[in-house]
């Protein structure tokens, strides 16, 4: 296909709406490119037109792509096999991200929680030790010793630990609600350091003494140094201190919980903490935002027991996995190797399945392409092309069926040609046969004649003839040839030629009908096969003397209807073409005035009704008597109609012929 034809094909596919949308999009694009002012509406319409053109282009591309069966199967395979795997992989990655996020949050939370519990234990230990010190040790000396002991043991795990003793229990009463101790995260807005709110892990405990209540307070500030020491498996860590949003300009992203909005007031970033280097190319970092609950003491002294602190940190999945599998000991490597082997096996199986699908797709589409090209040959009229059969599967059977079909089509076409030739020959035979029937009816004074012949096939095996022998003599003949179709028509033609050769000679009007039938019988016996015969009836009527001579050679008896009676004309003998030297008999009748002669073939009396009853000669005769006063044409048509109505269907099993002669 040339470039011009491709352009022409594309142009034929473009509708008027597509062309209008293309022009509008181009105009809007020019207006946008040259920054033309005042054409905003045009630009908007151009955007809609561009979206429409994009939709049309995608639809055209989809149809173009999916026209090929191979592409359809590949796309179907992608959606059936690859897309679910990708979705499962995406689900697995997302699930792993959530799992690692939760694990990282758990590590951070547990480390902070462990430090809080450690402070609570230290406070309890100091309280117990303080009550058991000797009385000769002063209170100040006792507190100094206990503080020094705690620092020496816990300073490494609790950097920045501060231990204070006082008789002021106001803070404990605020945060503990009547309890004797408190441990947790404490964010203070009433005590600022460098103008900022502070966040610390704190443990406060009241100690009863004879001289009153003594309070020990242990506090570890959550500063950059402390954040650098917690959760070593994590990367960079940042704590965001929050306070309630009171309105006004929005400081940034607001955090909402339980219907309350919070804004960030201060960020604490861990000192010298960075994300660990990636061990694998898939070791992408996990970024986590987690919430820790603290107790908040506002500038006005109001305490919020559940106040959020947002911890923002990241981690490497490999580092978290190492932490997670650390407890497995020596079995860790075994589990990891098993997991890697399973992943490799899964990838290999998936690759093998995909390869198998592509190979099967190619085999299927190759077979279908062979069939498609074969149909192109058939469309071009080449029925000799055959599809190559390379395998014995269903596609191979389909190709074999296609070959059988094209072969059958070729045979059918050849048969159709032969049938057409036969029909042409039958049409010619029909035309020839029509020439055998009398084209004009003889004109004899006192005689009216009519005949109707309806063939069951294209040509008839029935024969009738009216031959004028003299000005007053008329020969009336009717015959039924054995068989149907062309063979019967050929025998009919032979009978007609023989009959006319005998009667169209001088003096034939005086010839005996028995002699005439004997000659015809010899002719058929000598010139036809043993299985061919014909029933025949001939009558010679002399209108001057009203004498009717006839011979019936095995034909159904014609009948002569007068006013008072109906006479069956049955004298003669056996059918023609069986016995060569058979002697036939001639019958003679003096015809009463205004009589009606009716001759017919067996096709007129053999039609059956729904009960299997034949129409019969008696009903035919009654039908003729019923209309005996009508013209011969009316009588003949009435007899045909009566037989068809008896059968209840216009279809006929045999040739139907009737001749009617009115003898005045």
């Amino acid at each position: 296909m040339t470039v011009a034809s491709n352009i022409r094909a594309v142009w034929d596919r473009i509708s008027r709406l597509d062309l209008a949308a293309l022009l509008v999009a181009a105009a809007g694009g020019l207006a946008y490119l040259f920054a033309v002012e005042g054409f905003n509406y045009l630009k908007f319409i151009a955007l809609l037109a561009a979206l429409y053109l994009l939709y049309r282009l995608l639809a055209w591309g989809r149809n173009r792509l999916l026209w090929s069966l191979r592409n359809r199967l590949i796309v179907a395979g992608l959606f059936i096999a690859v897309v679910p795997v990708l979705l499962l992989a995406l689900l697995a990655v997302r699930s792993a991200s959530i799992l690692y996020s939760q694990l990282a949050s758990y590590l951070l939370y547990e480390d902070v929680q462990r430090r809080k519990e450690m402070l609570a234990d230290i406070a309890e230990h100091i309280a117990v030790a303080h009550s058991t010190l000797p009385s000769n040790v002063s209170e100040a000396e006792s507190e100094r010793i206990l503080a020094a002991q705690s620092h020496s043991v816990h300073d490494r795990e609790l950097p920045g630990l501060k231990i204070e003793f006082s008789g002021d229990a106001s803070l404990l009463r605020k945060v503990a609600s009547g309890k004797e101790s408190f441990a947790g995260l404490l964010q203070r807005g009433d005590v600022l350091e460098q103008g900022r709110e502070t966040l610390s892990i704190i443990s406060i405990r009241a100690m009863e003494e004879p001289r009153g209540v003594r309070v020990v307070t242990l506090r570890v500030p959550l500063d950059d140094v402390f954040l650098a020491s917690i959760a070593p498996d994590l990367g960079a860590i940042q704590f965001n201190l929050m306070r309630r949003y009171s309105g006004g300009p929005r400081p940034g992203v607001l955090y909402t919980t339980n219907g309350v909005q919070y804004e960030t007031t201060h960020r604490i970033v861990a000192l010298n903490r960075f994300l660990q280097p990636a061990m694998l190319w898939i070791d992408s970092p996990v970024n986590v935002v987690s919430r820790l609950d603290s107790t908040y003491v506002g500038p006005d002294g109001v305490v919020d027991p559940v106040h959020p602190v947002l911890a923002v940190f990241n981690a490497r999945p490999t580092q978290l996995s190492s932490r997670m599998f650390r407890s497995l000991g020596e079995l860790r490597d075994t589990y990891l190797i098993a997991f890697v082997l399973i992943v490799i096996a899964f990838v290999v199986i998936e690759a093998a399945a995909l390869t198998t699908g592509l190979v099967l797709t190619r085999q299927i589409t190759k077979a279908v392409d062979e069939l498609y090209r074969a149909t192109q040959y058939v469309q071009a009229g080449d029925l000799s092309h055959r599809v190559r059969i390379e395998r014995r599967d269903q596609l191979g059977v389909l190709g074999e069926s296609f070959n059988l079909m094209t072969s059958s089509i070729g045979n059918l076409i050849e048969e159709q040609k032969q049938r057409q030739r036969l029909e042409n020959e039958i049409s010619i035979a029909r035309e020839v046969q029509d020439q055998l029937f009398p084209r004009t009816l003889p004109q004899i004074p006192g005689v009216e004649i009519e005949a109707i012949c309806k063939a069951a096939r294209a040509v008839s095996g029935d024969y009738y003839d009216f031959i004028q022998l003299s000005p007053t003599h008329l020969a009336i003949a009717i015959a039924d040839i054995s068989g149907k179709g062309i063979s019967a028509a050929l025998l009919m033609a032979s009978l007609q030629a023989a009959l006319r050769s005998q009667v169209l000679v001088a003096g034939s009007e005086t010839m005996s009908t028995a002699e005439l039938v004997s000659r015809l019988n010899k002719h058929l016996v000598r010139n036809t096969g043993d299985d061919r015969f014909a029933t025949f009836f001939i009558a010679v009527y002399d209108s001057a003397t009203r004498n009717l001579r006839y011979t019936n050679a095995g034909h159904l008896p014609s009948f002569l209807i007068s006013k008072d009676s109906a006479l069956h004309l049955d004298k003669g003998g056996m059918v023609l073409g069986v016995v060569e030297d058979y002697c036939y008999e001639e019958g003679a009748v003096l015809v009463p005035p205004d009589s009606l002669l009716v001759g017919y073939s067996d096709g007129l009396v053999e039609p059956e009704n729904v009960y299997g009853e034949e129409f019969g000669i008696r009903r035919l005769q009654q039908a003729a008597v019923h209309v005996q006063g009508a013209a011969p044409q009316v009588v003949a048509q009435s007899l045909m109609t009566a037989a068809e109505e008896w059968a209840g269907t216009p279809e006929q099993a045999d040739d139907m012929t009737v001749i009617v002669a009115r003898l005045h």
Side-chain angles (χ1 to χ4, degrees):
M1 185 177 289
T2 63
V3 176
S5 60
N6 286 331
I7 295 175
R8 181 65 180 175
V10 172
W11 178 259
D12 291 338
R13 291 176 178 271
I14 297 177
S15 64
R16 294 182 178 179
L17 181 60
D18 297 338
L19 186 59
L22 183 61
L23 294 176
V24 171
L30 292 175
Y32 176 79
L33 182 63
F34 293 101
V36 180
E37 299 293 338
F39 286 90
N40 293 330
Y41 183 73
L42 175 61
K43 295 176 183 177
F44 176 72
I45 298 298
L47 177 61
L48 295 180
L51 293 176
Y52 168 76
L53 291 175
L54 178 61
Y55 168 76
R56 288 281 293 166
L57 182 62
L58 291 176
W60 175 83
R62 181 199 62 186
N63 295 334
R64 183 90 174 181
L65 175 66
L66 297 182
W67 183 88
S68 170
L69 178 61
R70 176 176 298 178
N71 293 341
R72 283 178 177 265
L73 290 175
I74 291 175
V75 172
L78 290 177
F79 277 100
I80 293 174
V82 178
V83 171
V85 171
L86 292 179
L87 292 177
L88 289 175
L90 181 61
L91 179 61
V93 170
R94 185 57 183 165
S95 300
S97 176
I98 295 174
L99 176 63
Y100 284 123
S101 299
Q102 292 301 310
L103 177 59
S105 299
Y106 172 78
L107 293 177
L108 179 65
Y109 174 80
E110 281 297 309
D111 209 341
V112 173
Q113 187 71 13
R114 184 174 62 84
R115 307 296 176 94
K116 183 190 72 171
E117 293 175 354
M118 188 181 298
L119 285 182
D121 291 341
I122 295 172
E124 184 178 2
H125 172 72
I126 290 175
V128 173
H130 190 274
S131 63
T132 59
L133 286 175
S135 58
N136 59 347
V137 179
S138 66
E139 183 179 88
E141 185 66 17
S142 171
E143 293 172 355
R144 186 185 64 78
I145 294 172
L146 292 176
Q149 291 176 347
S150 299
H151 279 295
S152 62
V153 175
H154 300 289
D155 274 355
R156 185 173 182 179
E157 288 188 277
L158 300 172
L161 173 63
K162 296 180 181 179
I163 303 175
E164 298 175 353
F165 295 89
S166 70
D168 185 7
S170 59
L171 180 59
L172 178 61
R173 288 193 294 269
K174 287 181 180 180
V175 299
S177 301
K179 297 181 181 178
E180 294 184 354
S181 64
F182 170 82
L185 283 177
L186 180 64
Q187 181 178 345
R188 303 196 65 172
D190 57 340
V191 178
L192 303 180
E193 292 183 1
Q194 299 178 356
R196 298 176 178 177
E197 296 181 351
T198 61
L199 177 66
S200 58
I201 303 176
I202 193 170
S203 177
I204 308 174
R205 190 174 188 87
M207 298 181 294
E208 295 290 340
E209 293 185 353
R211 289 173 290 181
V213 176
R214 192 69 174 169
V215 177
V216 58
T217 303
L218 289 83
R219 184 170 68 90
V220 177
L222 266 71
D223 53 13
D224 52 357
V225 177
F226 178 82
L227 293 184
S229 66
I230 63 173
D233 296 306
L234 305 183
I237 301 176
Q238 174 183 300
F239 275 23
N240 294 339
L241 277 60
M242 316 292 290
R243 69 181 174 193
R244 291 198 178 197
Y245 176 61
S246 58
R250 298 186 61 172
V253 179
L254 297 178
Y255 174 72
T256 304
T257 177
N258 296 327
V260 180
Q261 291 183 324
Y262 294 88
E263 61 178 333
T264 302
T265 62
H266 175 53
R267 293 179 176 85
I268 306 173
V269 181
L271 182 64
N272 296 327
R273 292 239 359 197
F274 304 99
L275 184 65
Q276 300 90 340
M279 296 183 62
L280 299 170
W281 62 271
I282 59 173
D283 193 16
S284 59
V286 177
N287 299 309
V288 186
V289 177
S290 181
R291 167 180 167 168
L292 299 175
D293 289 331
S294 67
T295 301
Y296 179 74
V297 180
D300 55 358
V302 177
V303 177
D304 182 4
V306 182
H307 190 84
V309 174
L310 294 184
V312 181
F313 51 94
N314 53 22
R316 291 287 183 187
T318 53
Q319 192 72 20
L320 296 175
S321 299
S322 177
R323 173 62 183 272
M324 185 167 49
F325 288 101
R326 191 176 301 165
S327 61
L328 296 177
E330 295 180 355
L331 295 178
R332 177 183 61 180
D333 295 337
T334 303
Y335 287 132
L336 289 177
I337 293 173
F339 177 75
V340 171
L341 291 177
I342 291 173
V343 171
I344 293 174
F346 177 82
V347 173
V348 170
I349 293 173
E350 177 63 21
L354 184 60
T355 303
T356 303
L358 293 177
V359 171
L360 291 177
T361 298
R362 185 177 181 278
Q363 292 178 352
I364 293 172
T365 55
K366 183 179 179 182
V368 173
D369 186 61
E370 285 276 346
L371 289 173
Y372 174 74
R373 288 191 290 106
T375 59
Q376 299 299 308
Y377 281 100
V378 173
Q379 185 177 0
D382 183 8
L383 296 178
S384 62
H385 182 77
R386 295 293 181 266
V387 177
R388 291 181 301 174
I389 309 300
E390 298 180 354
R391 61 187 63 86
R392 301 306 302 174
D393 54 7
Q394 191 173 16
L395 289 173
V397 174
L398 179 61
E400 186 176 355
S401 299
F402 180 86
N403 292 338
L404 293 175
M405 181 189 69
T406 53
S407 177
S408 299
I409 292 175
N411 294 335
L412 289 175
I413 291 177
E414 187 62 31
E415 291 177 2
Q416 179 64 24
K417 291 179 180 178
Q418 295 178 0
R419 188 179 293 109
Q420 187 66 37
R421 288 195 295 268
L422 181 60
E423 290 178 354
N424 293 336
E425 294 175 358
I426 292 175
S427 177
I428 295 173
R430 179 64 179 172
E431 293 178 1
V432 172
Q433 188 180 54
D434 289 342
Q435 300 295 326
L436 299 179
F437 291 111
R439 306 188 66 180
T440 59
L441 299 179
Q443 300 295 325
I444 303 294
V447 179
E448 296 180 50
I449 54 178
E450 184 63 49
I452 299 176
C453 179
K454 290 186 177 181
R457 297 184 181 178
V459 291
S460 173
D462 287 356
Y463 166 65
Y464 70 89
D465 209 347
F466 301 110
I467 307 173
Q468 187 171 356
L469 306 179
S470 72
T472 60
H473 286 80
L474 175 68
I476 302 173
I478 184 171
D480 187 358
I481 311 301
S482 63
K484 299 179 180 63
I486 291 183
S487 61
L490 293 176
L491 185 57
M492 184 194 98
S494 176
L495 180 63
Q496 190 256 13
L499 173 63
R500 290 191 171 241
S501 67
Q502 294 293 328
V503 299
L504 293 179
V505 295
S508 61
E509 67 274 9
T510 60
M511 182 188 300
S512 168
T513 57
E515 177 64 22
L516 175 62
V517 171
S518 295
R519 295 179 181 181
L520 295 177
N521 178 54
K522 289 182 180 181
H523 170 75
L524 291 183
V525 171
R526 294 177 180 179
N527 295 282
T528 61
D530 295 339
D531 59 336
R532 311 301 292 172
F533 62 90
T535 64
F536 185 72
F537 172 83
I538 187 167
V540 177
Y541 176 66
D542 185 359
S543 61
T545 63
R546 305 191 64 80
N547 187 35
L548 178 71
R549 296 180 290 110
Y550 72 91
T551 296
N552 189 339
H555 197 76
L556 294 176
S558 302
F559 46 83
L560 183 67
I561 301 175
S562 60
K563 293 183 179 180
D564 299 330
S565 62
L567 177 64
H568 284 211
L569 307 179
D570 53 3
K571 292 184 179 181
M574 66 183 302
V575 298
L576 304 180
V578 178
V579 180
E580 181 177 353
D581 296 326
Y582 187 81
C583 183
Y584 289 91
E585 180 183 0
E586 181 183 66
V589 178
L590 184 62
V591 179
D594 199 23
S595 296
L596 190 68
L597 175 63
V598 178
Y600 53 92
S601 64
D602 56 357
L604 196 65
V605 296
E606 291 178 352
E608 297 180 351
N609 62 9
V610 295
Y611 302 106
E613 298 176 331
E614 288 187 350
F615 184 56
I617 299 175
R618 182 177 60 84
R619 292 186 179 88
L620 180 66
Q621 181 177 317
Q622 290 175 353
V625 170
H626 184 69
V627 293
Q628 64 175 327
Q633 182 178 3
V634 176
V635 174
Q637 188 61 50
S638 297
L639 296 181
M640 284 285 185
T641 302
E644 291 175 352
E645 290 179 350
W646 178 261
T649 173
E651 297 180 359
Q652 55 188 81
D654 199 359
D655 303 325
M656 300 172 64
T657 303
V658 61
I659 59 175
V660 179
R662 172 74 66 187
L663 306 177
H664 294 288

